[in-house]
Structure formats: C-alpha cells, structure tokens
C-alpha cells in the first residue's frame, strides 16, 4: 500500500491517542487512599477490630469474622450478650438512622463458633516461660488466652469451684446462660491453659518465685455496705453475695416484697432476679433521678418491662422487719442529692444492698512495693504494679467495671507481660485519625433500619431464668453486618473508579482496592468527595 | 422504577458498584473491562461533568450494542477537549462535524449504514446544550420529525462553556454568564426534552451524572428502540458554574433533589416514569454552592429571583410527581 492511499486526505500527521498527553501535570493536589480509625474500633475497651470482622461477616465468611474477633477477645458469645456496646454508642450510623447491631452480630458469630466447634490453634513455639494468673474471671482468662497464644505455659488459679468470675457469679443466667460461659472457657482450657479451681492463692511471694510473671485479677467481689439503722429482725443482704449464692445453688429467702437499694447494673440484676424468685413487688430505691443512674439503659428498660418499680430521689433511712422508711431527696445545683425531711414507708420483707463492689485487695496488702489508692491497685501503662513481674487488671484496677473492660485489661497485660519477659516494651500501633461522621458521604448508604433481636415474653421472663434476649438468624446477621458504613476504610464501592472524569483510577480487583494513575490524575478531588466511607484524602503539594 | 434497584445495604443503588454484588449485576462503570469510550489524557477541565457523562453514555451504549456503535459529535467542549489534532481520546468510531448539524449528519450516517445493509451498527449523536438547544435545534427537530434511527444525547451544562461561558438557551434563570454578567433574566431555560416529546418520538429521557445507574440504564434502554431517541443529561461545569472541581457530582445531585432538574422517562410523548426525589431540598441548597448564583445572596439577597426559581422547582415536582414514593 502506498503512502498516498494510507492518507486519502491532506493529513500530514497520524492521529495519535490522547494517552500521550500526561494531564497529571495539571495537578496541585493528590488523592491518597488511607485507613482512618472507625469509631467502633476506637470505642471498644477490648480493642476489637470491629469493622474488620464486620467486613468479613458481610461477605458471609462467618468463620473468618469470628477468628478476627478471637484475635482480640476470646469471648464473642459472652460479649454478644453482656457487653454494654460502646461500639454502638460511637457508631456513625446512629447519626444517619440507627447504629449497626454490632453486638447482635458478634453474638451470632460467637454462637455459631460454639455450634460449629471452631477453635483457635496456637502457632507460636513454646517459650519455656510459665505464668500464673490469679482469678478465673474475664480478665484473668483473657490474659491466659493471649499468653497461651504467645507460647507461654499458663496456670489459672481461682478459689471458686467454677471458672468465670463475675461472668458466672455476678451476672444472672437470664442474661448470660451458663452453657455459653462453659463453652468459651472450655475452648481456652483446650488450648492448654491449666485451670486450678477451688485453689485459693494466699502467698503471692511464693507464687512470684515459682512463676516468671503473675497476673492478678481477682475482681471486686465485696459488696459495699451502708450503715442503715435496722430492726432486730430486718433482713438485709448484699447483692453480690446474693447473686453468687444463687449460682452456688443456695436460694435466698427474700420474701414477696423486696427493696433494692442502689442504682447500678447490679441493682437491676438483683431486682430482676428477685422477680424471678417469686417476689411480687421489687422496688429499686435510688437517691437520684433516672438520668443519673449508673445502670445502663438497656437494663433499666428491661427491668421496667418486667415490672420492677423504681423509686427515684429516695434513700432508705431505716429498715424494719416488714417495711422500710424512705426519705425523699432533691438534687442540688451540682446534682448531689440532698435530704428533704419528708418521709414515707414502703412495705418490704427484705432489703438488698446494691451499692457497688470493692476490690479484693487482701493479696496485695502484704507487698511493700505495690501501691493501693482509692480502693484499687495502682498499675502503670503496662498494667504492672509497683512490684516487678506482678501485673494486675480487671475490677481490681482503675476503670469501668464491665466484662469488656476486663477482657481488654487481660489482653493489654498479656502483651506487656510477653514484652517484659524478653526485656522489651510493647509498642502500641499509632492510632490513625478518627473517621468522624463529617468524613463520610452518607448519601450513598441505603436506608436500612436496624434488625432487632427477639425478646422473651415478659410472662416467661419473670417466671424463669431463661435467656431474655434471642439471637439473630444467619440471614439477619448478614443484613445487619451489611449496614456497616465501613467508616474511614475502603469498602470497594467503585465510586472512585466510576466517577473519575479522567479514568485515572486503576481497579486492582476484589480485595485489592484501587490505585491512582498519577500520569493522568488532574487532582479534581471528585473521588475523595464522593467516597462514601471517607477513605480518600487530598494532599496538597506532594506529588 | 425502571432502574433495577439493588439493595446493597451499605451503599444502596446510589454507588457505582459494590464488592458484595455479583459481577453480572454491576454497573458498566464498575466493570474494569468497560470500553472507556473516552479515555484518559483528554483535556477537559478538572472535575468535568461532561467528560463523565460522555463516558457513561458511550460505555453503556457499547455494552448494549455489542460494541457496534458509531458516534457523531457536534462542535463544543466535548469535541474540543477530546480531539485536539493529532490526539484523540475516543476509543469508538467517532466523527466530528459542524456546530449546528450533528443531528443531520447522524441522520446521514444512519441512512448510509442502512443503504449498506449494516443494520447492526447503531448511531449516537452528541452535542452540548449550545449545539443542541440553540444552534442545532432545527436539524434536531427535523431528525425527530422524520423519526430517523438515531439516539441523540445532549450534555447540558447550561451555557457555551467552551468559548468562555456565554449564555445559551438552556442557561437557567438568574445565572451569571459572561454575556449576562448581572444574571440572566430571561425565561427559565429551554426544555428540549419537552420539545422532543412534542414530536412523539419513541423515547425521551433525562438524567444526571449524579445517578450513574439511572443514566446507564437510560442509554441502554434507548438502544432497545429504533427511530429518533433523545437523552438529555445534566453535566455540571465547574468553570461555568463556578463550583469547586470536586463538587460536580454533588451539584448535579442537588439539581435533582431540589426539583430544579426533573429526571424522567417518556415513551411516544408521554411521561412513563420519574426518578422520585429521595429527600426534597429547597433550591437555595442548589444555588448557594454555585458562583454563578452568588449575586443572589448579597445584601440584600435577591428573594425575587430565588423565589422564582423555587416556584419553578415546585412546579417540576408537581407536574412530574417527583415526590411519589419509590415504586
């Protein structure tokens, strides 16, 4: 073919592709993919990577999702029942419609693991080190689990006949069935953690000599007392002992009318327990208003559903044999309750004191270099007491007294014990910037109200210790997981890829995300503006 | 709804895709193997809505026709930024002609293909609102009237943006352009979709670059018909609208959500479907981000002009039934 026939018209140059025109040179800003800290992860006291396991659950890979929880927390099924869900309080979806039911998905995964018999294997080689954990509650068992994962030989001692600590002896079974506790503890034991029950530790010095490190987590089992003038035959019991006795098979005699003094979660637990034990009238007497009650909303709500009555702004000033004398209170401008001098009587066969618990510090008292202040053991950022090699966590150190916090203490202690043993310091990974609501482009999220968990009828609830709250089905759990907005982390919605006017985004395939083709990216910022999850930022002056 | 509304839970049908979705149900733009009819290296401004709109439409047409389509392009931004000789960004058969005769040439191409017996190859005419609403309207009306087998797509950015932001027949009331520096006080902008419907052609639809799935659906749906078809796409222009380059999609969305730009579909001259507004917003939400309306928000604000625009949006919402629940 001649040159002339190739160019029938008066054209002197071949037509080329615009690919030769590197429009990236126009750019003054550069988009960058990043991972921000999702608020759920940020709020989790156990340090779970919530968004990561939700993302795995979204794909329907429940086992991988469960394993991701297990990397931080050995009690998903327990968590899914008793955790007070700081993750859901922090969830950005709450601003849009309702928070993602993180806790209900976690419970589904935990239950699924028990049904399917999933377990975690230990990959670390034996370290040759031995640890003693004192206290088989959530904190101690969490520490034991994480230490075992790192190849250490772990012994857990507890003076109770069964393991679980407050999970067993403090939380009623209608909230946390015992077979769930048993299954999750058994999994830790199966990993090789040695459990020595009914074995009180009395000599800490000896233990410290015998083991390379000791983690102390005996909890707060001592009910705080109040001096209430009482008649000779008045029946006054403390809430913690009552719940523990019940667990040990001793049914307390409370009578038909029970007054519970206090406003925390234990007060709710014990009032609801009283209803189940046959009390026709359970009244919570609390000094302040509902807004100022330390009990969590869910529990107050469920207690009210079950017919528990509340007497706000009231104190018990005298307990007789079948009635108590109550004084009305008023809140002063600082919110502190003040007496009013107005009294009334309330029928009550017994009074249960739920005024908080004190840490059991007898073991530490003998150690000269361990400090006790404000009723708790003082620990440093590594969870170590003033005594080298003695770590402490859970309810006996400062912090909110919940199972999740205790589990988080156990993990933190385990990491630090592991580092300390090798003479190192555990370095916590740097926290990325928070993925706050204003970072998101919420237009893209479909309207999807939260899935609610089924609840037992009130009639069944108050006549048995059956579990009150049911679980989600696999289908519901999938829906709920998929409500997650993946705040601050790419969810592969293809918006950047599809909305780039310059085709300057390269799609790398499932799970691989995207790359910016800087030869052609003009830096318009559409990808960042239209990213639903706020996983792209624009950097100025850096190419 | 004509658009297949897929529940992604996380991102609804509003995002381009979702990793959880079966690949067969993903949008064309989510497909790494899309045609990229308008490929990179083109010289459109940062954040150009028209570059987006043209790629969405042609990629969808290519998928719908099994890559058998040819496009005819009027003079305008799209032509200028995509084909400064000797470069071309088009990865589809593409023909350039004059400012005002794209519908006529497209008709001619369709006739030539028919004469050659090539019934498998489809024709798409493209132009901006200047070339369509003003200069090419007579040719377009002729094409409609003869019911020639062409899909004509108008990319409406509300002005002659290519030559320096002059007013066109599609410029909305009140907007500042270089020829109406105090704000355009003419009518309300010419609605070619309604003019097209008056011709009773088989298919007329409007869309915006903010609702990609809807736009792709309409481009593909148009290819199911033979005869004259018209697709009017709102493509915000950062330069002419004086918006930040990353706001293109957002203002297109606001045009839709305020009722300023009704999104609908019409068969044989009758409206058959509308895209309901998800959350109705007042027009100021749409006007305020745009520099071309900044003079309305001075001291004192031009309540009269804002009020007129609000009335227009309200009328759109009423006539097209834009607040009907999603079907």
């Amino acid at each position: 073919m001649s040159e002339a026939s190739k160019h029938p018209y008066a054209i002197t140059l071949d037509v080329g592709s615009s690919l030769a025109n590197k429009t990236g040179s126009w750019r003054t800003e550069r988009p960058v993919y990043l991972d921000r800290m999702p608020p759920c992860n940020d709020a989790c006291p156990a340090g779970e990577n919530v968004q990561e396991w939700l993302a795995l659950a979204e794909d329907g890979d429940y086992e991988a999702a469960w394993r991701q929880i297990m990397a931080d927390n050995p009690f998903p099924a327990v968590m899914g029942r008793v955790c007070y869900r700081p993750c859901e309080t922090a969830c950005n979806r709450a601003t849009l419609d309702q928070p993602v039911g993180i806790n209900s998905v976690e419970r589904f995964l935990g239950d699924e693991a028990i049904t399917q018999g999933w377990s975690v294997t230990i990959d670390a080689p034996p370290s040759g080190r031995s640890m003693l954990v004192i206290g088989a509650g959530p904190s101690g068992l969490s520490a034991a689990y994480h230490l075992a994962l790192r190849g250490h030989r772990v012994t857990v001692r507890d003076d109770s006949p069964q393991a679980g600590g407050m999970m067993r002896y403090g939380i009623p079974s209608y909230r946390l069935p015992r077979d769930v506790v048993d299954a999750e503890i058994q999994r830790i034991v199966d990993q090789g953690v040695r459990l020595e029950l009914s074995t009180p530790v009395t000599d800490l010095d000896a233990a410290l000599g015998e083991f390379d490190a000791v983690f102390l987590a005996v909890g707060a089992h001592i009910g705080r007392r109040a001096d209430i003038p009482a008649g000779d035959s008045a029946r006054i019991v403390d809430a913690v002992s009552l719940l523990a006795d019940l667990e040990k098979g001793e049914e307390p005699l409370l009578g038909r009318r029970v007054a519970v003094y206090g406003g925390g979660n234990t007060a709710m637990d014990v009032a609801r327990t009283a209803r189940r034990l046959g009390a026709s009238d359970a009244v919570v007497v609390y000094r302040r208003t509902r807004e100022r009650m330390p009990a969590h909303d869910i529990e107050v709500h469920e207690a009210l559903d079950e017919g528990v009555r509340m007497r706000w702004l009231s104190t018990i000033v005298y307990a007789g044999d079948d009635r108590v004398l109550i004084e009305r209170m008023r809140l002063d401008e600082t919110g502190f309750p003040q007496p009013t001098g107005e009294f009334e009587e309330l029928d009550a066969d017994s009074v249960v004191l739920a005024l908080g618990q004190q840490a059991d510090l007898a073991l530490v008292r003998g150690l000269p270099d361990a400090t006790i202040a404000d009723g708790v053991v003082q620990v440093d950022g590594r969870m170590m007491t003033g005594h080298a090699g003695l770590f402490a966590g859970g309810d006996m150190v400062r912090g909110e007294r919940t199972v999740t916090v205790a589990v988080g203490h156990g993990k933190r202690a385990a990491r630090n014990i592991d580092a300390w043993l090798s003479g190192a310091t555990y370095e916590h990974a740097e926290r990325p910037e928070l993925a706050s609501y204003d970072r998101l482009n919420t237009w893209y999220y479909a309207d999807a109200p939260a899935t609610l968990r089924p609840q037992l009828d009130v009639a069944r609830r108050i006549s048995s210790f059956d579990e009150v709250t049911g679980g989600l089905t696999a289908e519901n759990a999938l829906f709920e997981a998929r409500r997650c907005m993946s705040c601050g982390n790419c969810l592969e919605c293809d918006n950047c890829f599809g909305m780039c006017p310059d085709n300057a985004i390269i799609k790398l395939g499932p799970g691989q995300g995207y790359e910016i083709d800087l030869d052609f990216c003009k830096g318009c910022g559409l990808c960042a503006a239209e990213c639903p999850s706020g996983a792209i930022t624009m950097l100025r002056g850096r190419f | 709804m004509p658009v297949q509304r897929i529940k992604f839970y996380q991102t609804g049908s509003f995002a381009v895709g979702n990793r959880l979705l079966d690949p067969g149900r993903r949008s064309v733009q989510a497909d790494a193997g899309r045609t990229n009819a308008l490929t990179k290296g083109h010289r459109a401004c940062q954040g150009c809505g028209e570059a987006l709109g043209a790629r969405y439409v042609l990629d969808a047409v290519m998928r719908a026709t099994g890559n058998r389509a040819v496009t005819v392009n009027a003079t305008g931004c799209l032509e200028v930024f995509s084909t400064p000789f000797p470069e071309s960004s088009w990865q589809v058969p593409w023909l350039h002609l004059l400012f005002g005769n794209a519908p006529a040439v497209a008709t001619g191409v369709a006739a030539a293909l028919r004469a050659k017996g090539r019934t498998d190859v489809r024709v798409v005419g493209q132009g901006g609102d200047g070339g369509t609403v003003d200069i090419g309207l007579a040719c377009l009306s002729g094409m409609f009237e003869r019911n020639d087998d062409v899909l004509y797509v108008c990319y409406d950015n509300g002005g002659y943006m290519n030559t320096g932001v002059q007013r066109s027949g599609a410029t909305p009331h009140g907007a500042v352009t270089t020829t109406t520096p105090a704000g355009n006080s003419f009518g309300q902008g010419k609605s070619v979709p309604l003019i097209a419907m008056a011709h009773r052609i088989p298919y007329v639809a409007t869309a915006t670059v903010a609702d990609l799935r809807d736009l792709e659906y309409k481009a593909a749906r148009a290819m199911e018909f033979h005869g004259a078809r018209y697709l009017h796409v709102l493509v915000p222009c950062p330069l002419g609208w004086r918006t930040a380059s990353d706001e293109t999609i957002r203002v297109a969305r606001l045009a839709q959500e305020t009722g300023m730009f009704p999104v609908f579909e019409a068969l044989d001259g009758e409206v058959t479907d509308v895209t309901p507004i998800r959350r109705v917003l007042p027009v100021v939400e749409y006007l305020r981000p745009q520099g071309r309306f900044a003079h309305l928000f001075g001291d004192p604000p031009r309540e009269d002009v804002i009020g007129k625009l609000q009335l227009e949006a309200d009328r759109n919402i009423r006539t097209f039934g834009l607040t009907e629940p999603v079907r």
Side-chain angles (χ1 to χ4, degrees):
Chain A
M1 197 187 277
S2 73
E3 280 303 303
S5 64
K6 256 168 75 183
H7 296 294
Y9 307 110
I11 292 173
T12 52
L13 293 166
D14 277 323
V15 174
S17 166
S18 65
L19 293 175
N21 187 19
K22 300 282 169 64
T23 47
S25 62
W26 301 13
R27 198 172 55 241
T28 60
E29 283 187 308
R30 181 171 67 110
V32 174
Y33 291 96
L34 76 171
D35 294 318
R36 289 195 168 102
M37 170 66 88
C40 49
N41 294 16
D42 186 59
C44 180
E48 287 184 21
N49 192 347
V50 177
Q51 192 181 79
E52 181 63 29
W53 62 254
L54 277 174
L56 293 165
E58 282 158 25
D59 276 336
D61 193 345
Y62 297 136
E63 186 172 344
W66 177 79
R67 289 189 184 284
Q68 179 61 51
I69 301 177
M70 290 296 284
D72 298 298
N73 188 335
F75 294 110
V78 171
M79 285 301 127
R81 289 173 167 85
V82 303
C83 182
Y84 290 111
R85 322 169 189 178
C87 52
E88 294 185 21
T89 307
C91 179
N92 276 332
R93 181 120 207 170
T95 312
L96 189 66
D97 44 36
Q98 291 153 305
V100 175
I102 300 169
N103 186 255
S104 46
V105 179
E106 184 170 24
R107 168 170 169 174
F108 168 79
L109 295 171
D111 287 356
E112 193 70 3
I114 294 172
T115 315
Q116 308 285 343
W118 295 332
S119 63
V120 174
T121 49
I122 297 173
D123 299 326
S127 67
R129 309 280 196 147
S130 63
M131 324 276 147
L132 176 67
V133 171
I134 306 174
S139 197
L141 289 171
S142 160
Y145 165 78
H146 286 288
L147 287 167
L149 281 187
R150 285 166 171 75
H152 303 300
R153 204 165 62 245
V154 189
T155 305
V156 181
R157 283 183 191 150
D158 196 298
D159 54 3
S160 302
Q162 283 183 288
M166 277 297 189
M167 295 192 287
R168 185 184 302 276
Y169 295 105
I171 299 175
S173 60
Y174 59 82
R175 278 176 59 206
L176 181 57
R178 299 306 183 237
D179 53 346
V180 172
V181 180
D182 291 341
E184 297 211 310
I185 293 175
Q186 189 57 43
R187 202 163 48 215
I188 297 172
V189 173
D190 290 344
Q191 282 180 312
V193 169
R194 192 181 156 81
L195 209 50
E196 295 177 358
L197 297 169
S198 306
T199 311
V201 176
T202 47
D203 188 347
L204 205 49
D205 269 330
L208 283 161
E210 186 187 347
F211 294 89
D212 293 313
V214 173
F215 180 59
L216 192 56
V218 297
H221 292 263
I222 306 165
R224 200 168 272 146
R225 304 291 300 195
D227 280 328
I228 299 174
D232 293 340
S233 55
R235 196 181 300 136
I236 301 179
V237 286
D238 92 86
V240 218
S241 320
L242 184 149
L243 292 171
D245 287 350
L246 190 67
E247 187 60 27
K248 286 169 187 155
E250 297 161 27
E251 194 159 308
L253 297 169
L254 292 173
R256 284 180 48 248
R257 297 161 306 178
V258 181
V260 178
Y261 194 26
N265 294 317
T266 309
M268 298 302 126
D269 282 345
V270 89
R272 295 173 69 186
T273 298
R275 287 285 281 148
R276 285 164 172 77
L277 292 174
S280 53
D281 194 17
V283 187
V284 172
V285 180
Y286 180 57
R287 295 188 302 161
R288 303 181 206 218
T289 53
R290 169 158 185 183
E291 295 73 46
R292 292 179 177 274
M293 251 181 152
H296 287 93
D297 260 356
I298 322 164
E299 290 218 50
V300 179
H301 190 76
E302 288 185 1
L304 288 168
D305 281 352
E306 288 167 16
V308 170
R309 291 197 297 135
M310 306 281 174
R311 288 294 306 259
W312 320 110
L313 292 170
S314 307
T315 52
I316 298 179
V317 288
Y318 177 81
D321 54 353
D322 60 355
R323 64 193 55 198
V324 292
L325 190 64
I326 282 178
E327 179 170 8
R328 290 254 184 88
M329 305 298 276
R330 61 169 181 83
L331 294 185
D332 63 17
E333 46 297 340
T334 61
F336 197 79
Q338 300 291 351
T340 58
E342 295 169 36
F343 297 91
E344 65 182 290
E345 284 191 337
L346 180 74
D347 290 338
D349 299 321
S350 57
V351 175
V352 185
L353 301 179
L355 302 164
Q357 287 104 263
Q358 281 167 328
D360 210 338
L361 298 170
L363 267 178
V364 204
R365 289 226 161 80
L367 286 179
D369 38 11
T371 321
I372 294 169
D374 304 327
V376 289
V377 185
Q378 302 298 300
V379 289
D380 61 16
R382 297 172 295 173
M383 310 296 292
M384 190 156 86
T385 64
H387 190 99
L390 179 66
F391 295 75
D395 288 355
M396 61 187 304
V397 306
R398 186 188 307 282
E400 208 196 338
R401 286 175 173 172
T402 69
V403 177
T404 323
V405 167
V407 166
H409 283 176
K411 178 175 93 169
R412 198 155 96 208
R415 284 173 171 175
N416 284 293
I417 292 170
D418 185 61
W420 180 79
L421 284 172
S422 54
T425 337
Y426 177 78
E427 294 290 343
H428 200 283
E430 205 179 310
R431 289 202 156 210
E433 189 193 354
L434 192 68
S436 48
Y437 188 75
D438 58 330
R439 299 282 190 193
L440 309 178
N441 191 336
T442 53
W443 168 263
Y444 291 103
Y445 298 101
D447 308 317
T451 320
L452 298 178
R453 284 184 266 201
Q455 290 226 318
L456 214 57
D457 288 345
V458 170
R460 275 277 300 286
R461 274 155 65 172
I462 56 174
S463 59
S464 75
F465 278 85
D466 289 351
E467 186 166 23
V468 168
T469 306
L472 297 181
T473 62
E475 201 177 305
N476 284 344
L478 191 67
F479 176 86
E480 203 47 40
R482 287 182 173 186
R483 290 181 65 241
C484 170
M485 304 198 288
S486 192
C487 309
N489 293 284
C490 177
L491 50 66
E492 291 183 54
C493 70
D494 296 327
N495 259 12
C496 51
F497 177 68
M499 290 181 178
C500 173
D502 296 295
N503 301 19
I505 312 270
I506 301 160
K507 190 171 169 176
L508 301 175
Q512 306 295 310
Y514 311 87
E515 218 171 69
I516 314 277
D517 185 348
L518 292 173
D519 279 349
F520 296 100
C521 167
K522 293 172 185 159
C524 69
L526 266 178
C527 52
E530 299 305 318
C531 175
S533 54
I536 305 177
T537 193
M538 297 301 290
L539 290 185
R540 193 161 253 289
R542 283 175 57 186
F543 308 100
Chain B
M1 269 327 289
V3 186
Q4 190 182 24
R5 292 284 165 190
I6 298 160
K7 278 285 177 201
F8 293 149
Y9 309 107
Q10 290 172 312
T11 52
S13 312
F14 310 107
V16 172
N18 189 298
R19 71 188 159 86
L20 304 172
L21 197 67
D22 173 51
R25 301 180 76 196
R26 290 184 192 167
S27 69
V28 180
Q29 287 303 308
D31 180 1
R34 68 191 185 198
T35 309
N36 278 333
L38 185 70
T39 193
K40 45 196 159 190
H42 63 69
R43 302 182 184 208
C45 303
Q46 293 163 322
C48 175
E50 191 171 33
L52 272 180
R55 191 184 74 220
Y56 292 171
V57 168
L58 265 298
D59 284 0
V61 165
M62 282 296 163
R63 185 196 261 188
T65 60
N67 295 324
R68 293 190 179 274
V70 47
T71 180
V72 172
N73 207 149
T75 297
C77 274
L78 182 60
E79 173 263 327
V80 168
F81 75 63
S82 64
T83 53
F85 187 77
E87 288 166 14
S88 173
S89 307
W90 294 99
Q91 306 206 95
V92 293
W94 181 88
L95 197 66
H96 170 235
L97 31 115
L98 302 181
F99 207 162
N101 67 349
V105 174
T107 295
V109 172
L113 287 166
R114 196 174 62 240
K116 294 187 78 174
R118 295 296 303 269
T119 49
D120 56 330
V121 181
R122 310 297 305 275
V123 183
V124 179
Q126 303 186 82
D129 54 294
T132 307
V133 171
D134 292 343
I135 303 175
L137 188 63
C139 289
L140 186 67
S141 174
M143 185 199 110
F144 289 159
E145 185 269 327
R146 295 185 302 270
N147 199 25
D148 294 318
D149 190 18
V150 172
L151 165 64
Y152 190 90
V153 186
C154 171
Y155 302 108
D156 176 5
N157 56 19
Y160 292 85
M161 303 315 190
N162 172 42
T163 47
V165 194
Q166 290 86 9
R167 179 190 171 271
S168 85
T171 304
H173 183 81
V176 163
T177 66
T178 50
T179 45
T180 54
N184 156 36
S185 59
F186 300 99
Q188 79 259 315
K190 198 189 286 182
S191 173
V192 179
L194 293 178
I195 295 173
M197 283 164 63
H199 290 75
R200 303 264 183 231
I201 57 172
Y203 187 74
V204 173
T206 64
T208 78
V209 286
D211 195 345
L212 163 77
R213 292 184 160 264
D214 180 68
L215 175 53
E216 284 185 352
Y217 157 79
K218 283 167 179 165
R221 180 91 201 278
M223 301 321 285
E224 293 172 10
F225 297 89
H226 283 271
R229 289 145 288 145
Y230 181 72
L231 179 57
H232 191 96
V233 188
L234 185 73
V235 291
C237 167
L239 178 76
W241 294 23
R242 301 196 205 157
T243 50
S245 62
D246 64 355
E247 289 182 312
T248 303
I249 303 282
R250 189 167 79 93
V251 285
R253 187 156 58 227
L254 289 168
Q256 201 171 333
E257 294 299 290
T258 53
M260 282 298 282
F261 187 85
V263 178
F264 63 91
E265 203 176 22
L267 298 179
D268 301 319
E270 266 182 88
V271 174
T272 51
D273 235 314
V274 298
T275 301
I277 296 176
R278 198 168 165 209
R279 295 172 194 130
V280 182
L281 295 169
V283 288
V284 289
E285 299 277 322
Y286 170 64
L287 304 176
R288 211 186 288 274
Q290 301 182 48
R292 62 176 178 161
F293 293 113
H295 64 291
L296 304 182
F297 299 97
D299 186 22
R302 291 294 304 273
E303 297 291 358
D304 54 335
V305 181
I306 298 171
K308 182 178 172 347
L309 290 164
Q310 182 65 59
L311 282 176
E312 200 191 315
D314 292 345
R315 189 172 58 219
N316 282 338
I317 291 173
R318 204 169 53 242
T319 15
F320 290 97
L322 298 178
T323 48
E324 307 281 303
V326 181
R327 271 162 284 177

